[in-house]
Amino acid sequence: MSKSLNLPNALALFRIALAPLMLWFLLARDFSIFASWHPSWFDYFAGLIFVIASVTDFFDGFIARSWNQMTKLGGILDPLADKMLMLAGFLGLVMINRASVWAVFLILSREFFITGLRVVAVSEGKDVASTMAGKIKTVVQMFAIGFLIMNWPYATEILWLAVILTIYSGYEYTRDYFKK
C-alpha cells in the first residue's frame, strides 16, 4: 500500500462509496421492483449504511492522528467524504419529505461557503483546523440525519438544532479567518 493510500484514506474512500448507496436506499422505495418490501426496510438499510459511514469518519481521523498517517490526500478525501455523506443524507431526506428544504438549504449553503473559505485560507497559508463548534455541529448533523432516516421522534427538532449550530460554527470559522 502506498504512503498516500493508507488505512485512514481507504476508510475515507469507503465512506465516499457508501454515500450514493445510502442515497439509493432512501430513494429506492419508489421503484416498482421493490413494491413487496415494507418501507421500513429501506430506512433500516439506509440507517445501517449511515452508521457504518459515520463510524468510519471517526476511525479514519483517529487512526491518521494516532498512527501519524496524515497525508495531503487524506486532507482532501476526509472532508469530501463528509460532505458527500451529508449531501446524500440531506438530499434523500428532502426527497422523501422527512427534512425541511429550508433547513437543508441553510446547512448546505454554510458547508459550501466554508469549504470555499478553507480553499482560500489554504492558498494564503492560513491554518484551517476544525473548531470544537465545527466538530459538535457535525455530530449533531449526524444525529439529525440518523433520526430523520429512522423517522424517530424529535428528528425535526434535532435538525433545527443542527441548523443553529451549523450557522454558529460557520460564523465562528469566518470570524477566525478574518482575525488571522
Side-chain angles (χ1 to χ4, degrees):
M1 193 181 307
S2 77
K3 185 175 177 164
S4 288
L5 191 57
N6 56 25
L7 181 57
N9 294 348
L11 289 172
L13 287 169
F14 180 60
R15 200 160 69 254
I16 288 170
L18 289 177
L21 183 62
M22 180 187 70
L23 179 61
W24 187 86
F25 274 106
L26 286 171
L27 303 178
R29 64 190 77 226
D30 294 333
F31 299 155
S32 61
I33 59 172
F34 297 112
S36 64
W37 285 27
H38 190 275
S40 64
W41 281 100
F42 296 100
D43 296 338
Y44 298 146
F45 285 121
L48 177 64
I49 291 165
F50 183 71
V51 167
I52 291 168
S54 297
V55 169
T56 66
D57 182 29
F58 168 76
F59 279 109
D60 72 7
F62 178 78
I63 292 168
R65 286 184 298 278
S66 298
W67 296 358
N68 196 25
Q69 292 189 350
M70 296 171 74
T71 64
K72 288 182 183 180
L73 179 62
I76 295 167
L77 290 178
D78 183 59
L80 175 64
D82 291 346
K83 301 300 181 255
M84 287 181 66
L85 185 62
M86 296 299 170
L87 184 64
F90 283 132
L91 288 180
L93 290 162
V94 164
M95 292 181 74
I96 63 171
N97 297 315
R98 290 208 188 145
S100 162
V101 171
W102 285 107
V104 171
F105 173 77
L106 291 169
I107 288 171
L108 295 179
S109 294
R110 179 269 186 207
E111 296 298 338
F112 288 125
F113 175 76
I114 295 302
T115 297
L117 192 59
R118 282 180 179 238
V119 170
V120 171
V122 167
S123 73
E124 295 173 347
K126 293 182 179 179
D127 182 25
V128 293
S130 297
T131 64
M132 183 54 71
K135 292 174 192 274
I136 292 169
K137 76 85 186 153
T138 300
V139 170
V140 175
Q141 284 179 359
M142 288 180 170
F143 271 98
I145 290 172
F147 270 61
L148 288 162
I149 287 172
M150 297 310 297
N151 212 11
W152 287 343
Y154 305 108
T156 301
E157 291 82 359
I158 295 170
L159 174 61
W160 283 104
L161 176 61
V163 169
I164 292 165
L165 292 171
T166 299
I167 292 169
Y168 175 76
S169 70
Y171 158 76
E172 191 177 75
Y173 191 88
T174 304
R175 180 197 67 207
D176 292 349
Y177 168 80
F178 285 109
K179 279 185 176 178
K180 293 179 183 180

